[in-house]
């Protein structure tokens, strides 16, 4: 665990250097080739990026939640595809195993996830189970020493390249909702598992997202997470509660970068004889961006510290995810505005790419509406 403030500041500086010197110069290539170049993925492996949130005992850095979000503020200031490449290993693709895996599962799967040798993914969403994630149709039937999985998952980040998947499947036929749903670790190469081609999508070029199919897929019984049937949703929710704070941080770094780009542009762009940054209506947009970024950063750090103290952060995680992702959308919109026409023309600036890339944040890991409902439900329960 990185605990010495000086050492941790050095670590953050190394992330900033990676963003500035390696990632930002390659953003155009990632967009054009729709992939993060393998030599850059190797650099991220060597720098230990894949293992940030995995305990040290399993080869990771064992960052606290506070340390993880501080690192995320930095790494997310380059094109989203870079952090999405490592992001399933530092988040949803490993967190279920960290939270509830058996010792044997942790020993087998966490070290290759921490080193980046393997890429993990979380496969919860199905054609009929989006916001209603508990409406799981994928089934898992026990036959001796294996479970047979049948079903389909969709919209899965890193599915086209993942080596292992945390998968929710219904082990109790006829059960409803979260009850009777279990979580499994499924390796690519297990018979009956296949993945679809990457979807064409609005943004985040270079971050592949696809479907996962289970056709009588045979998974060893030892790969049932925690060895307990029916606890799959609890595992997923544990992973998501941490991840929502993490994603809030990953939505704040892009807002910081977009504002920096808008300031540079408005300082350079002259209209009516002055840089447009001199005009107070433009300054108001900057002030609103800066204020909202500060608000998001502050609430994320507060929630992260609370989680590190072992306190319940279900409400805070939802508020952070909701506020930071919506904030990022507002910042993206204002920054395009500050660029004027150049903000719309891909040949003239990359702010339009950011505008498209960050739109996803408000949709996945619980839409804004689902978080509003969650916040209100917890609030009303608290006040009752
Ligand atoms: C690029 C991308 C990557 C993704 N990565 C992953 C991944 O790695 N793993 C994974 O498991 N999933 C992943 N997802 C899926 C994502 O989590 C879901 O898309 C998301 O939860 C929303 O579900 P849905 O798309 O079915 O929308 P729907 O549930 O169909 O929602 C449609 C609209 O209805 C609203 N709505 C739904 N229910 C209610 C309600 N009760 N009250 C009010 N409004 C409501 C929603 O807010 C939304 O506005 C990804 C999605 C995308 C697009």
């Amino acid at each position: 665990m990185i605990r010495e403030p000086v050492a941790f500041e050095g670590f953050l500086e190394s992330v900033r250097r990676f963003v500035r010197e390696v990632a930002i110069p390659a953003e155009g290539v990632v967009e054009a080739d729709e992939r993060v170049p393998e030599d850059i993925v190797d650099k991220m492996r060597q720098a230990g990026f894949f293992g940030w949130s995995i305990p040290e005992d399993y080869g990771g850095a064992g960052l606290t939640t506070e340390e993880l979000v501080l690192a995320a503020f930095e790494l997310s200031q380059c094109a989203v595809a870079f952090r999405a490449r490592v992001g399933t290993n530092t988040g949803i693709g490993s967190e279920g195993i960290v939270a509830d895996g058996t010792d044997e599962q942790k020993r087998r799967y966490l070290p290759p996830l921490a080193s980046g040798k393997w890429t993990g993914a979380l496969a919860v969403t199905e054609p009929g189970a989006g916001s209603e994630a508990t409406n799981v149709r994928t089934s898992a039937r026990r036959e001796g020493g294996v479970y047979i999985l049948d079903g389909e998952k969709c919209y899965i980040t890193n599915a086209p390249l993942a080596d292992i998947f945390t998968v929710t499947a219904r082990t109790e036929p006829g059960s409803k909702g979260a009850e009777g749903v279990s979580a499994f670790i499924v390796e690519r190469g297990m018979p009956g598992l296949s993945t679809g081609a990457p979807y064409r999508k609005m943004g985040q070029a270079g971050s592949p997202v696809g479907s996962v199919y289970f056709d009588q897929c045979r998974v060893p019984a030892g790969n049932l997470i925690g060895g307990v049937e029916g606890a799959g949703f609890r595992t997923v929710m544990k992973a998501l509660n941490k991840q929502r704070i993490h994603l809030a941080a990953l939505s704040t770094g892009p807002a910081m970068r977009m504002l920096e780009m808008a300031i540079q542009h408005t300082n350079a762009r002259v209209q009516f004889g002055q840089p447009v940054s001199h005009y107070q209506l433009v300054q108001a947009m900057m002030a609103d961006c800066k204020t909202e970024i500060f608000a998001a950063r502050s609430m994320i750090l507060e929630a992260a510290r609370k989680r590190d103290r072992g306190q319940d952060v279900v409400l805070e995680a939802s508020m952070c995810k909701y506020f930071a992702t919506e904030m990022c959308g507002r910042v993206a919109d204002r920054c395009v505005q500050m660029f004027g026409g150049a903000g719309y023309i891909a040949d003239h600036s990359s702010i339009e790419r950011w505008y498209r890339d960050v739109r996803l944040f408000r949709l996945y890991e619980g839409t804004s509406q689902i978080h509003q409902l969650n916040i209100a439900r917890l609030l009303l329960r608290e006040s009752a």
Side-chain angles (χ1 to χ4, degrees), residues 106-301:
K106 288 179 181 175
R107 273 199 307 274
R108 174 165 171 73
Y109 292 109
L110 293 181
L113 286 172
S115 68
K117 181 176 170 211
W118 286 357
T119 298
L122 175 70
V124 171
T125 303
E126 299 185 2
S131 296
E132 191 186 359
T134 55
N135 189 32
V136 178
R137 290 275 185 272
T138 299
S139 62
R141 171 172 53 84
R142 178 111 191 214
E143 253 186 32
V146 295
Y147 282 91
I148 314 286
L149 268 64
D150 280 288
E152 175 185 345
K153 300 287 178 179
C154 61
Y155 301 169
I156 307 304
T157 301
N158 282 339
L161 48 81
D163 301 284
I164 64 162
F165 300 84
T166 297
V167 177
T168 48
R170 197 166 289 284
T171 38
E172 200 185 313
S175 60
K176 291 260 180 295
E179 212 177 289
V181 173
S182 304
F184 294 89
I185 307 162
V186 185
E187 291 180 30
R188 188 181 289 280
M190 285 180 175
L193 176 127
S194 60
T195 53
Y199 305 118
R200 295 182 315 118
K201 46 188 172 45
M202 178 190 287
Q204 302 199 3
S207 168
V209 178
S211 300
V212 187
Y213 305 101
F214 305 92
D215 180 9
Q216 306 215 357
C217 175
R218 296 171 72 81
V219 179
N223 281 29
L224 170 66
I225 294 187
V228 190
E229 282 192 10
F233 248 88
R234 219 173 44 220
T235 298
V236 167
M237 287 322 296
K238 279 186 199 168
L240 284 180
N241 271 328
K242 180 174 178 195
Q243 175 60 17
R244 283 166 175 171
I245 304 175
H246 186 199
L247 183 64
L250 294 168
S251 306
T252 304
M256 293 154 85
R257 170 83 185 282
M258 287 186 284
L259 179 57
E260 188 188 311
M261 290 166 68
I263 290 170
Q264 263 173 19
H265 177 85
T266 54
N267 276 334
R269 172 73 175 162
V270 174
Q271 287 293 276
F272 304 101
Q274 290 184 52
V276 294
S277 61
H278 288 192
Y279 299 117
Q280 288 178 337
L281 292 177
V282 174
Q283 290 173 3
M285 288 192 273
M286 285 178 194
D288 286 352
C289 291
K290 184 71 178 169
T291 305
E292 290 201 75
I293 289 168
F294 179 68
R297 199 183 142 87
S298 305
M299 67 196 282
I300 291 163
L301 282 168

Side-chain angles (χ1 to χ4, degrees), residues 77-97:
Q77 290 185 51
C78 52
V80 180
F82 293 100
R83 72 83 179 153
R85 182 64 186 81
V86 298
T88 44
N89 286 35
T90 57
I92 53 176
S94 69
E95 209 54 58
I97 305 172

